[in-house]
């Protein structure tokens, strides 16, 4: 499989504040804080679009790791499918803005698992030729789809916005992709869905159904077991286990179930909420900047998404 040469994350300029959520919804501040775990977090500003954040992440990445535009043969935009404009290609928009005019541009919609799904597609043998690269853009506008006036949507009040760009190669890169395992439980397909109100799409949950937390733990555990068996490794070999920041309690429960020490994960809940598909890349960047990565480290990225899909993407740090 291929690898990640480099990546970058871009944050928006505005912030959501739990005080504003409380005023709009009537939900108690303490209850909202129990969902967000912080007083505020980055969201798209009134005049910001998600594709612009992805473009900025890509520009920063390509300035740091220059690659000739004609060597980038695939540009993929990954997210929920609810783009900044309907019936439109954000991948083509970003590619053109970057001067990448000879690539195949397309979108992958798998919600917060989409970035890792795109990585899986492009890191497989044969996806890229010799001396060819792919650019994966991860971007969504999740905060724009949360109705803060609806107390029934309070479980979504921790949805923030960020964008990322990953440069992929046929070779190992700085992070070699060792394995990808993904699974979907379609029985949850209708649990969350978008509804149009006042010309906006809001995410609404169906009538409460028990068992989703158990599905998370069960599916993630199964995917980790499958991955370790495929790689001939053990839980003790996992250097870092990074997960989407959707639910801190579930995060901690999963580490306990797997037997992974807390210090082998990253907890950014005190400063960031759920930043969509960029959560694990934010955590990975934090580890590298802190000097906590060592050559040969086995890193698992645990991603999940509405639908409901789960994925375990395993990387080896090459330095």
């Amino acid at each position: 499989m291929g690898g990640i040469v480099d990546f970058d994350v871009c944050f928006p300029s505005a912030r959501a504040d739990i005080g504003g959520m409380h005023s709009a919804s009537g939900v108690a501040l303490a209850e909202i804080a129990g969902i967000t775990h912080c007083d505020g977090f980055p969201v798209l500003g009134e005049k910001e679009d998600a594709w612009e954040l992805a473009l900025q992440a890509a520009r920063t990445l390509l300035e740091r790791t220059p690659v000739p535009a004609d060597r980038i043969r695939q540009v993929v935009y990954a997210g929920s499918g609810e783009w900044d404009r309907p019936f439109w290609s954000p991948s083509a928009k970003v590619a053109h803005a970057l001067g990448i005019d000879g690539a195949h541009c397309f979108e992958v919609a798998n919600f917060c698992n989409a970035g890792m799904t795109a990585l899986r597609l492009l890191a497989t043998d044969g996806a890229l030729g010799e001396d060819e690269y792919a650019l994966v853009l991860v971007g969504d506008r999740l905060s724009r789809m949360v109705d803060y006036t609806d107390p029934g949507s309070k479980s979504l009040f921790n949805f923030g916005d960020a964008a990322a760009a990953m440069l992929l190669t046929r070779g190992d890169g700085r992070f070699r992709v060792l394995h990808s395992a993904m699974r979907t439980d379609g029985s949850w397909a209708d649990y969350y869905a978008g509804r149009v109100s006042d010309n906006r799409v809001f995410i609404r949950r169906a009538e409460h159904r028990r068992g989703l937390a158990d599905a998370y733990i069960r599916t993630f555990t199964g995917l980790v077991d499958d991955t370790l068996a495929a790689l001939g490794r053990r839980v003790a070999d996992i250097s870092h286990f990074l997960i989407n920041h959707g639910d801190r309690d579930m995060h901690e429960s999963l580490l306990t179930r797997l037997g992974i020490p807390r210090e082998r994960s990253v907890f950014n809940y005190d400063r960031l909420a759920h930043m969509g598909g960029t959560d694990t890349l934010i955590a990975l960047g934090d580890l590298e900047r802190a000097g906590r990565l060592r050559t040969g480290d086995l890193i698992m990225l645990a991603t999940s998404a509405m639908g409901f899909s789960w994925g375990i993407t395993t990387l080896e740090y090459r330095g």
Side-chain angles (χ1 to χ4, degrees):
M1 300 183 81
I4 303 172
V5 179
D6 200 0
F7 68 93
D8 195 78
V9 177
C10 182
F11 292 96
S13 63
R15 290 182 65 80
D17 175 79
I18 64 172
M21 298 176 194
H22 162 67
S23 297
S25 66
V27 178
L29 272 174
E31 191 173 352
I32 298 173
I35 295 167
T36 64
H37 304 291
C38 57
D39 292 336
F41 48 87
V43 294
L44 288 166
E46 184 178 349
K47 295 183 179 181
E48 281 182 315
D49 285 332
W51 77 269
E52 294 174 317
L53 293 186
L55 171 61
Q56 184 56 53
R59 279 186 172 147
T60 303
L61 165 62
L62 295 176
E63 287 170 2
R64 187 171 61 234
T65 310
V67 171
D70 62 357
R71 298 277 185 84
I72 300 177
R73 305 302 299 161
Q74 309 275 352
V75 178
V76 183
Y77 196 102
S80 67
E82 185 60 36
W83 314 128
D84 297 293
R85 298 170 64 185
F87 203 71
W88 178 72
S89 175
S91 64
K93 181 71 172 179
V94 173
H96 183 65
L98 292 170
I100 302 171
D101 294 325
H104 175 213
C105 304
F106 61 97
E107 286 69 45
V108 170
N110 197 213
F111 304 93
C112 296
N113 192 51
M116 293 302 111
T117 300
L119 177 61
R120 175 178 182 162
L121 291 172
L122 295 168
T124 57
D125 293 338
L128 293 172
E130 194 73 33
D131 258 350
E132 289 184 349
Y133 296 86
L135 183 63
V136 173
L137 309 159
V138 183
D140 255 318
R141 46 203 297 278
L142 295 182
S143 70
R144 296 265 178 87
M145 294 185 282
V146 178
D147 184 358
Y148 297 120
T149 68
D150 174 27
S153 296
K154 64 185 179 183
S155 62
L156 308 177
F157 283 6
N158 65 336
F159 278 18
D161 304 308
M166 293 184 285
L167 184 66
L168 310 184
T169 178
R170 176 179 174 177
D172 288 345
R174 199 160 86 248
F175 297 91
R176 179 186 175 198
V177 180
L178 296 181
H179 192 266
S180 174
M182 296 185 176
R183 193 172 300 158
T184 299
D185 183 349
S187 71
W188 293 94
D190 295 327
Y191 197 48
Y192 286 98
R195 296 181 188 172
V196 178
S197 177
D198 295 328
N199 295 317
R200 287 183 60 184
V201 174
F202 289 112
I203 304 168
R204 301 292 189 193
R205 194 191 72 185
E207 183 179 351
H208 179 65
R209 172 185 165 191
R210 298 177 62 86
L212 186 56
D214 290 340
Y216 265 82
I217 299 294
R218 181 177 64 253
T219 308
F220 269 143
T221 300
L223 291 173
V224 169
D225 289 345
D226 292 348
T227 298
L228 293 174
L231 295 176
R233 308 293 282 271
R234 301 170 301 143
V235 169
D237 296 324
I238 302 172
S239 305
H240 305 282
F241 189 86
L242 312 179
I243 186 170
N244 277 7
H245 276 40
D247 185 322
R248 189 175 70 180
D249 291 341
M250 193 276 295
H251 186 162
E252 293 175 335
S253 296
L254 181 59
L255 292 176
T256 299
R257 176 70 66 88
L258 292 170
I260 298 174
R262 196 178 191 275
E263 57 268 22
R264 293 191 187 177
S265 195
V266 172
F267 289 77
N268 281 327
Y269 299 93
D270 62 323
R271 64 186 183 92
L272 296 171
H274 173 36
M275 310 307 292
T278 66
D279 278 344
T280 54
L281 293 175
I282 292 169
L284 188 59
D286 288 346
L287 288 175
E288 190 167 28
R289 282 186 295 274
R292 293 177 58 191
L293 296 182
R294 299 290 181 268
T295 300
D297 274 0
L298 191 72
I299 305 163
M300 285 191 175
L301 309 183
T303 49
S304 56
M306 292 182 183
F308 265 81
S309 293
W310 292 268
I312 294 290
T313 304
T314 305
L315 310 175
E316 179 187 15
Y317 183 59
R318 309 286 290 178

